[in-house]
């Protein structure tokens, strides 16, 4: 007899090659849980009108409706666009997805913000691949909710596929650099960076929680479907919250 399955749906940028294998690896120790992906076109991260238009509701909803066909119990936006568009954009998106599909929705960024509140974080360090003006927008949006970015590292890249080619060693160096400011947490803020597999190792080295944006949406998705997140081992302290 088949066990009761838990199906997590993830909205995925078309040029992302990290979040799918990492998401599946995170839940590999949960035999009843599987992750399913719906892509829509995202190739550039910048503040140009063309780049911002990639995140129109219609694009999300097309992919969300296809995920709904798979009878997933939650739909997560596994991306960080609200960081520069504004957090309200993700709140509206979740409401729109649920209205259209009847399925609970969450996002990487809203889950991160919830985790920061749970952990009492007011001093955040930010590691991203983004260009200067995108990074500045993210920092300003966090300041608007009372969270100060006390250190940051960004790589000046706008080509979304290229984010996936940033090496683990480069990410480690970026995390070490921001840790010098003694933040209360480090956010690896991009779902096409390989931060998740490094989180536990870097937490042990630095003594600072590492909140990876792929991990945050998996954490919230599991919460929404009633799976104990503490069962996810080796992917960072956030799963204990």
């Amino acid at each position: 007899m088949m066990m009761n399955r838990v199906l997590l749906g993830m909205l995925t940028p078309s040029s992302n090659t990290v979040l799918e294998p990492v998401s599946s690896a995170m839940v590999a120790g949960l035999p009843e849980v599987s992750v399913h992906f719906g892509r829509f076109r995202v190739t550039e991260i910048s503040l140009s009108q063309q780049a911002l238009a990639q995140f129109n509701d219609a694009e999300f909803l097309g992919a969300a409706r296809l995920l709904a066909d798979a009878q997933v119990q939650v739909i997560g936006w596994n991306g960080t666009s609200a960081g520069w568009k504004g957090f309200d954009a993700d709140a509206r998106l979740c409401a729109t997805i649920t209205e259209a599909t009847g399925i609970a929705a969450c996002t990487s960024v809203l889950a991160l913000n919830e985790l920061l509140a749970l952990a009492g974080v007011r001093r955040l360090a930010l590691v991203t691949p983004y260009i200067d003006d995108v990074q500045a927008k993210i920092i300003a949006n966090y300041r608007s909710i009372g969270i100060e970015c006390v250190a940051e590292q960004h790589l000046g890249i706008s080509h979304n596929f290229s984010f996936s080619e940033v090496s683990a060693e480069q990410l480690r160096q970026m995390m070490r650099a921001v840790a010098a400011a003694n933040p209360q947490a480090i956010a690896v803020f991009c779902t096409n960076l390989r931060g998740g597999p490094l989180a536990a190792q870097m937490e042990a080295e630095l003594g600072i929680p590492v909140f990876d944006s792929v991990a945050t949406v998996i954490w919230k998705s599991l919460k929404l479907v009633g799976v104990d997140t503490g069962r996810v081992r080796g992917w960072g302290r956030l799963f204990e919250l």
Side-chain angles (χ1 to χ4, degrees):
M1 184 175 177
M2 182 172 285
M3 70 177 73
N4 290 328
R5 293 190 296 159
V6 176
L7 309 178
L8 311 181
M10 294 291 153
L11 297 168
T12 306
S14 59
S15 51
N16 188 308
T17 59
V18 168
L19 77 85
E20 290 159 312
V22 169
S23 297
S24 293
M26 282 180 183
V27 302
L30 310 178
E32 77 278 23
V33 179
S34 56
V35 192
H36 306 274
F37 306 93
R39 287 174 177 258
F40 66 100
R41 187 168 299 281
V42 178
T43 58
E44 176 193 354
I45 301 301
S46 76
L47 301 184
S48 72
Q49 287 305 306
Q50 178 179 332
L52 293 174
Q54 297 170 120
F55 302 104
N56 287 342
D57 281 0
E59 303 299 325
F60 284 108
L61 286 175
R65 288 189 173 104
L66 293 176
L67 281 172
D69 290 347
Q71 298 185 42
V72 295
Q73 287 115 307
V74 62
I75 294 175
W77 162 219
N78 207 319
T80 53
S81 54
W84 54 93
K85 289 182 66 183
F87 305 135
D88 287 350
D90 268 9
R92 289 193 301 269
L93 175 65
C94 288
T96 300
I97 289 170
T98 300
E99 182 180 1
T101 65
I103 298 169
C106 60
T107 78
S108 297
V109 172
L110 294 183
L112 171 61
N113 294 354
E114 184 177 341
L115 282 157
L116 294 175
L118 281 172
V121 173
R122 287 291 176 264
R123 292 169 46 82
L124 180 66
L126 193 62
V127 170
T128 86
Y130 303 133
I131 57 178
D132 293 351
D133 55 356
V134 171
Q135 189 82 343
K137 276 277 194 183
I138 297 168
I139 291 168
N141 283 329
Y142 275 100
R143 187 178 298 118
S144 76
I145 61 169
I147 296 175
E148 194 65 29
C149 182
V150 297
E152 63 86 21
Q153 291 273 300
H154 64 287
L155 295 173
I157 306 170
S158 62
H159 183 230
N160 195 68
F161 177 83
S162 299
F163 302 161
S164 65
E165 301 194 313
V166 176
S167 71
E169 186 51 39
Q170 186 163 20
L171 286 173
R172 289 188 193 98
Q173 290 172 5
M174 294 169 79
M175 285 188 256
R176 288 171 184 140
V178 298
N182 196 32
Q184 293 169 292
I186 297 170
V188 180
F189 198 93
C190 172
T191 64
N192 206 18
L193 286 180
R194 301 176 193 279
L198 303 176
Q201 171 198 341
M202 296 309 294
E203 287 177 343
E205 176 184 326
L206 302 172
I208 300 168
V210 174
F211 293 163
D212 170 74
S213 51
V214 174
T216 62
V217 72
I218 294 293
W219 171 85
K220 183 61 177 179
S221 297
L222 293 173
K223 292 282 189 187
L224 285 171
V225 298
V227 173
D228 176 10
T229 59
R231 294 170 59 203
V232 179
R233 302 295 178 85
W235 292 91
R237 297 181 199 170
L238 67 88
F239 287 102
E240 299 168 12
L241 294 174

